[in-house]
Each structure stands twice: as C-alpha cells, then as structure tokens.
Short mmCIF file of all heavy atoms in Angstrom, two decimals:
data_model
loop_
_atom_site.label_atom_id
_atom_site.label_comp_id
_atom_site.label_asym_id
_atom_site.label_seq_id
_atom_site.Cartn_x
_atom_site.Cartn_y
_atom_site.Cartn_z
N THR A 27 6.52 -33.64 151.74
CA THR A 27 5.60 -33.16 150.75
C THR A 27 5.32 -31.76 150.71
O THR A 27 4.44 -31.28 150.05
CB THR A 27 4.22 -33.92 150.90
OG1 THR A 27 3.66 -33.60 152.33
CG2 THR A 27 4.43 -35.48 150.85
N GLY A 28 6.06 -30.98 151.59
CA GLY A 28 5.84 -29.61 151.81
C GLY A 28 6.68 -28.70 150.85
O GLY A 28 7.19 -29.21 149.92
N THR A 29 6.81 -27.45 151.27
CA THR A 29 7.42 -26.57 150.37
C THR A 29 8.80 -25.92 151.09
O THR A 29 9.44 -25.07 150.64
CB THR A 29 6.65 -25.29 150.04
OG1 THR A 29 6.19 -24.77 151.31
CG2 THR A 29 5.39 -25.80 149.23
N ARG A 30 9.20 -26.50 152.24
CA ARG A 30 10.36 -26.06 152.97
C ARG A 30 11.24 -27.26 153.45
O ARG A 30 10.68 -28.37 153.66
CB ARG A 30 10.08 -25.22 154.15
CG ARG A 30 9.02 -25.87 155.11
CD ARG A 30 8.80 -24.98 156.30
NE ARG A 30 7.89 -25.52 157.25
CZ ARG A 30 7.73 -25.33 158.48
NH1 ARG A 30 8.65 -24.42 159.02
NH2 ARG A 30 6.85 -25.84 159.20
N ALA A 31 12.48 -26.98 153.50
CA ALA A 31 13.39 -28.11 153.92
C ALA A 31 13.23 -28.35 155.51
O ALA A 31 12.88 -27.36 156.22
CB ALA A 31 14.80 -27.72 153.58
N MET A 32 13.37 -29.55 155.85
CA MET A 32 13.18 -29.96 157.25
C MET A 32 14.50 -30.66 157.75
O MET A 32 15.00 -31.46 157.04
CB MET A 32 11.96 -30.83 157.45
CG MET A 32 10.66 -30.12 157.12
SD MET A 32 10.22 -28.70 158.22
CE MET A 32 9.80 -29.65 159.65
N GLY A 33 14.82 -30.45 158.98
CA GLY A 33 16.08 -31.09 159.53
C GLY A 33 16.73 -30.30 160.58
O GLY A 33 16.43 -29.09 160.77
N PRO A 34 17.66 -30.94 161.26
CA PRO A 34 17.97 -32.38 161.15
C PRO A 34 16.76 -33.19 161.75
O PRO A 34 16.17 -32.78 162.70
CB PRO A 34 19.21 -32.49 162.03
CG PRO A 34 19.22 -31.41 162.96
CD PRO A 34 18.46 -30.23 162.20
N ILE A 35 16.54 -34.36 161.25
CA ILE A 35 15.55 -35.32 161.57
C ILE A 35 16.16 -36.52 162.29
O ILE A 35 17.01 -37.12 161.61
CB ILE A 35 14.63 -35.64 160.53
CG1 ILE A 35 13.94 -34.45 159.92
CG2 ILE A 35 13.55 -36.68 160.87
CD1 ILE A 35 13.18 -34.70 158.57
N GLU A 36 15.75 -36.91 163.43
CA GLU A 36 16.17 -38.07 164.16
C GLU A 36 15.22 -39.18 164.00
O GLU A 36 14.01 -38.89 164.08
CB GLU A 36 16.51 -37.70 165.62
CG GLU A 36 17.55 -36.74 165.87
CD GLU A 36 17.76 -36.37 167.27
OE1 GLU A 36 16.85 -36.79 168.14
OE2 GLU A 36 18.75 -35.78 167.72
N LEU A 37 15.74 -40.37 163.79
CA LEU A 37 14.84 -41.57 163.60
C LEU A 37 15.17 -42.58 164.71
O LEU A 37 16.28 -42.97 165.02
CB LEU A 37 15.08 -42.19 162.28
CG LEU A 37 14.68 -41.36 161.02
CD1 LEU A 37 15.47 -41.72 159.87
CD2 LEU A 37 13.20 -41.42 160.85
N SER A 38 14.14 -42.96 165.55
CA SER A 38 14.34 -43.85 166.64
C SER A 38 13.06 -44.67 166.78
O SER A 38 11.94 -44.19 166.52
CB SER A 38 14.74 -43.13 167.84
OG SER A 38 13.66 -42.29 168.28
N ALA A 39 13.20 -45.99 167.41
CA ALA A 39 12.06 -46.74 167.78
C ALA A 39 11.83 -46.48 169.35
O ALA A 39 12.84 -46.67 170.08
CB ALA A 39 12.30 -48.16 167.56
N ARG A 40 10.60 -46.24 169.74
CA ARG A 40 10.36 -45.87 171.15
C ARG A 40 8.96 -46.65 171.55
O ARG A 40 8.02 -46.30 170.98
CB ARG A 40 10.18 -44.46 171.43
CG ARG A 40 11.51 -43.70 171.18
CD ARG A 40 11.30 -42.24 171.84
NE ARG A 40 10.38 -41.50 170.95
CZ ARG A 40 9.95 -40.30 171.30
NH1 ARG A 40 10.21 -39.80 172.44
NH2 ARG A 40 9.13 -39.64 170.43
N GLY A 41 9.19 -47.66 172.39
CA GLY A 41 7.92 -48.39 172.90
C GLY A 41 7.58 -49.53 172.19
O GLY A 41 7.61 -49.67 170.89
N THR A 42 7.27 -50.58 172.89
CA THR A 42 6.93 -51.94 172.33
C THR A 42 5.61 -52.31 173.13
O THR A 42 5.72 -52.29 174.42
CB THR A 42 7.94 -52.96 172.25
OG1 THR A 42 9.02 -52.49 171.58
CG2 THR A 42 7.46 -54.21 171.63
N TRP A 43 4.57 -52.83 172.40
CA TRP A 43 3.38 -53.24 173.12
C TRP A 43 2.93 -54.62 172.74
O TRP A 43 3.32 -55.12 171.43
CB TRP A 43 2.24 -52.38 172.86
CG TRP A 43 2.50 -50.89 173.22
CD1 TRP A 43 2.14 -50.31 174.40
CD2 TRP A 43 3.19 -49.90 172.54
NE1 TRP A 43 2.54 -48.98 174.45
CE2 TRP A 43 3.17 -48.72 173.28
CE3 TRP A 43 3.71 -49.95 171.22
CZ2 TRP A 43 3.71 -47.54 172.81
CZ3 TRP A 43 4.34 -48.60 170.82
CH2 TRP A 43 4.29 -47.50 171.55
N ASP A 44 2.32 -55.37 173.50
CA ASP A 44 1.95 -56.77 173.24
C ASP A 44 0.45 -56.63 172.58
O ASP A 44 -0.01 -55.51 172.32
CB ASP A 44 1.84 -57.67 174.34
CG ASP A 44 0.94 -57.38 175.50
OD1 ASP A 44 0.02 -56.56 175.28
OD2 ASP A 44 1.06 -57.90 176.59
N SER A 45 -0.25 -57.71 172.25
CA SER A 45 -1.49 -57.70 171.50
C SER A 45 -2.55 -57.13 172.31
O SER A 45 -3.49 -56.73 171.82
CB SER A 45 -1.89 -59.13 171.09
OG SER A 45 -1.97 -60.03 172.22
N THR A 46 -2.45 -57.04 173.74
CA THR A 46 -3.46 -56.48 174.48
C THR A 46 -3.27 -54.93 174.67
O THR A 46 -4.16 -54.24 175.32
CB THR A 46 -3.42 -57.04 175.89
OG1 THR A 46 -2.32 -56.60 176.66
CG2 THR A 46 -3.49 -58.60 175.87
N GLY A 47 -2.15 -54.33 174.18
CA GLY A 47 -1.81 -52.98 174.30
C GLY A 47 -1.04 -52.66 175.55
O GLY A 47 -0.66 -51.46 175.73
N ALA A 48 -0.51 -53.70 176.25
CA ALA A 48 0.24 -53.49 177.30
C ALA A 48 1.68 -53.21 177.00
O ALA A 48 2.26 -53.85 176.20
CB ALA A 48 0.23 -54.67 178.31
N PRO A 49 2.42 -52.32 177.55
CA PRO A 49 3.72 -51.93 177.26
C PRO A 49 4.62 -53.06 177.80
O PRO A 49 4.41 -53.68 178.77
CB PRO A 49 4.01 -50.66 177.96
CG PRO A 49 3.02 -50.65 179.11
CD PRO A 49 1.77 -51.25 178.62
N ILE A 50 5.72 -53.50 177.00
CA ILE A 50 6.57 -54.36 177.36
C ILE A 50 7.85 -53.82 178.06
O ILE A 50 8.38 -52.98 177.50
CB ILE A 50 7.15 -55.25 176.16
CG1 ILE A 50 5.89 -55.89 175.35
CG2 ILE A 50 7.99 -56.38 176.52
CD1 ILE A 50 4.97 -56.68 176.10
N ALA A 51 8.03 -54.31 179.30
CA ALA A 51 9.11 -53.68 180.18
C ALA A 51 10.28 -54.66 180.23
O ALA A 51 11.32 -54.20 180.59
CB ALA A 51 8.59 -53.36 181.44
N ALA A 52 10.23 -55.81 179.85
CA ALA A 52 11.29 -56.79 179.98
C ALA A 52 11.49 -57.55 178.73
O ALA A 52 10.61 -57.69 177.93
CB ALA A 52 11.16 -57.73 181.17
N LEU A 53 12.64 -58.12 178.49
CA LEU A 53 13.07 -58.80 177.27
C LEU A 53 12.62 -58.10 175.97
O LEU A 53 11.97 -58.60 175.15
CB LEU A 53 12.41 -60.29 177.32
CG LEU A 53 12.71 -61.10 178.55
CD1 LEU A 53 12.01 -62.35 178.55
CD2 LEU A 53 14.27 -61.46 178.48
N LEU A 54 12.90 -56.80 176.00
CA LEU A 54 12.51 -55.99 174.91
C LEU A 54 13.10 -56.40 173.63
O LEU A 54 14.33 -56.66 173.40
CB LEU A 54 12.84 -54.55 175.15
CG LEU A 54 12.04 -53.77 176.16
CD1 LEU A 54 12.67 -52.41 176.46
CD2 LEU A 54 10.58 -53.56 175.70
#
C-alpha cells in the first residue's frame, strides 16, 4: 500500500501453538 517497490520478500510459516499458547515441539 506504499509508494515504493519492496523485495525480494520471503514467505514462510514459523511456529505452531496449541490453545493454551504453548509451542508445539513434536508432531508438528
């Protein structure tokens, strides 16, 4: 939404949490 070009941009998923907010370390 700005006025200048941006890049290169990398897209990745990092981190998964359960309903309590605890990070999931196994069976991701």
Side-chain angles (χ1 to χ4, degrees):
T27 61
T29 58
R30 54 175 176 157
M32 299 293 292
I35 299 172
E36 298 176 344
L37 296 154
S38 63
R40 292 190 291 169
T42 301
W43 301 266
D44 65 17
S45 59
T46 71
I50 305 302
L53 301 175
L54 281 172

